[in-house]
Amino acid sequence: DLNSSISEHKEDKKLIITSKAKEKWLEFMKKEDKESFGLKLTVLGGCCGGTTNYNLDFVENKSEDEKVLEDNGIKVFFNKK
């Protein structure tokens, strides 16, 4: 249950990755032979109707213009802007 998973995290965080999400992430990344990689989230901007588009990539290291948040051993990279 999502609510019970989130309630495990008592501290205030900007990023929460549950134990189940970590398990699935590691399983997927092992199949791709990218176990040390993180997830890069890029906001591509709006489209028709005001919908925001996103791009997800797998990266090993952050670039200079990126920030990284980490929870439960999983890294998420995104632009500092």
Side-chain angles (χ1 to χ4, degrees):
D1 165 91
L2 180 61
N3 290 332
S4 64
S5 296
I6 292 173
S7 67
E8 292 175 13
H9 302 276
K10 297 187 182 358
E11 58 204 69
D12 218 7
K13 290 187 176 183
K14 294 180 182 180
L15 175 69
I16 297 173
I17 297 177
T18 64
S19 299
K20 185 69 173 176
K22 177 184 179 177
E23 176 185 321
K24 290 294 184 184
W25 174 262
L26 294 175
E27 180 181 305
F28 177 76
M29 296 310 282
K30 185 173 185 175
K31 286 181 187 176
E32 296 294 316
D33 197 29
K34 296 183 177 181
E35 295 157 291
S36 64
F37 283 50
L39 179 68
K40 179 178 178 177
L41 173 65
T42 306
V43 179
L44 300 175
C47 184
C48 307
T51 303
T52 303
N53 296 308
Y54 302 92
N55 188 51
L56 300 174
D57 289 313
F58 304 112
V59 296
E60 196 162 13
N61 298 302
K62 73 179 189 78
S63 65
E64 287 183 26
D65 64 336
E66 291 176 338
K67 184 175 181 178
V68 62
L69 290 178
E70 184 173 349
D71 187 50
N72 214 354
I74 307 296
K75 295 177 184 175
V76 178
F77 305 95
F78 57 95
N79 287 343
K80 290 181 182 179
K81 298 178 186 179

